[in-house]
């Protein structure tokens, strides 16, 4: 999946004349594909805070619900996103993807045209909106999801769950993993962190 990733360049790293940029994959991956590389003289937070998207996702009764937001640009590429400045624990953000535990999220991104998808796992509908976010403005979007698959007597389960906090690999902290589980509608997650008994209830 194409995505836009942003990397800050440390002060003094670029010199007059020719510079070498090396992008090296981790050992467990064989290939990475790089398209455009662009340099922007502004700080990353300034670039990704050109505009703000404010999302609210509810069920058919109007109650806000945990969910996943997927945001792609006009080329269908997962967009670079800026998490809330206060790093609220109810949101987990990666390129093009936001998990929210309360159905609400305010995310910084570059001005432009985007498609926003709201979802919550296999049992719920998917809602989509095309939006134009304008520089220095907040653009509100509201979604309503419906339960499409009735599952009385069944439990949605993920039997193999890791966290970076306790396994030291992957990319989701304990708090972020709880948001992804809620956003995908997982009701029974099984902790399989390495050589540890992990309790999720408090988190």
């Amino acid at each position: 999946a194409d995505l836009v990733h942003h990397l800050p360049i440390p002060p003094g790293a670029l010199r007059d004349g020719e510079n070498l940029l090396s992008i090296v994959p981790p050992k467990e991956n064989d290939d990475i594909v790089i398209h455009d590389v662009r340099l922007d003289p502004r700080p990353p937070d300034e670039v990704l805070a050109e505009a703000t998207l404010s999302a609210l996702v509810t069920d058919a009764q109007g109650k806000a619900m945990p969910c996943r937001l997927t945001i792609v640009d006009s080329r269908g590429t997962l967009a670079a996103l800026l998490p809330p400045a206060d790093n609220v624990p109810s949101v987990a953000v990666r390129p093009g993807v936001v998990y929210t535990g309360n159905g609400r999220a305010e995310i910084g991104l570059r001005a432009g045209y985007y498609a926003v998808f709201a979802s919550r796992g296999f049992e719920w509908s998917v809602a989509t909106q095309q939006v134009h976010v304008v520089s220095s403005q907040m653009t509100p979007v509201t979604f309503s999801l419906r339960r499409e698959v009735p599952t009385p007597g069944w439990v949605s389960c993920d039997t193999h769950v890791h966290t970076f906090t306790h396994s030291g690999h992957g990319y989701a902290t304990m708090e972020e993993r709880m948001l992804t589980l809620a956003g995908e509608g997982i009701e029974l997650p099984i902790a399989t962190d390495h050589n540890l008994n992990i309790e999720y209830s408090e988190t």
Side-chain angles (χ1 to χ4, degrees):
D2 284 349
L3 60 85
V4 177
H5 191 50
H6 65 283
L7 298 170
I9 298 176
L14 288 178
R15 299 181 298 273
D16 289 340
E18 188 173 300
N19 289 265
L20 175 65
L21 171 65
S22 297
I23 301 175
V24 182
K27 292 180 181 179
E28 61 267 22
N29 293 332
D30 292 328
D31 302 301
I32 53 176
V33 178
I34 306 297
H35 296 291
D36 296 339
V37 175
R38 302 180 185 181
L39 293 177
D40 193 306
R42 297 173 293 172
D45 287 2
E46 185 178 333
V47 175
L48 298 180
E50 282 184 346
T52 303
L53 184 72
S54 177
L56 171 63
V57 181
T58 67
D59 61 18
Q61 286 71 46
K63 182 180 178 181
M65 60 188 293
C67 66
R68 168 181 170 146
L69 297 167
T70 305
I71 304 170
V72 298
D73 63 20
S74 57
R75 299 178 299 177
T77 299
L78 294 169
L81 305 175
L82 181 68
D86 55 2
N87 196 28
V88 288
S90 59
V91 177
V93 180
R94 296 293 184 273
V97 176
V98 180
Y99 282 98
T100 168
N102 60 13
R104 294 175 170 83
E106 289 188 3
I107 301 298
L109 68 176
R110 304 193 73 165
Y113 292 89
Y114 296 91
V116 184
F117 303 84
S119 62
R120 196 189 184 199
F122 298 110
E123 300 170 31
W124 293 80
S125 63
V126 177
T128 309
Q129 284 191 43
Q130 305 290 328
V131 297
H132 179 207
V133 295
V134 180
S135 182
S136 302
Q137 293 186 21
M138 178 178 290
T139 302
V141 290
T142 302
F143 301 92
S144 178
L145 303 184
R146 304 178 311 277
R147 178 176 281 279
E148 300 281 5
V149 182
T151 55
W154 291 80
V155 174
S156 176
C157 187
D158 185 339
T159 62
H160 193 110
V161 180
H162 285 259
T163 67
F164 180 80
T165 303
H166 297 291
S167 286
H169 68 76
Y171 54 86
T173 64
M174 183 80 157
E175 292 75 15
E176 289 175 324
R177 178 57 68 220
M178 299 307 103
L179 293 172
T180 67
L181 292 169
E184 296 291 351
I186 301 298
E187 297 160 325
L188 179 61
I190 307 299
T192 55
D193 281 307
H194 299 170
N195 304 314
L196 295 168
N197 289 321
I198 299 303
E199 172 59 57
Y200 285 165
S201 297
E202 182 179 351
T203 307

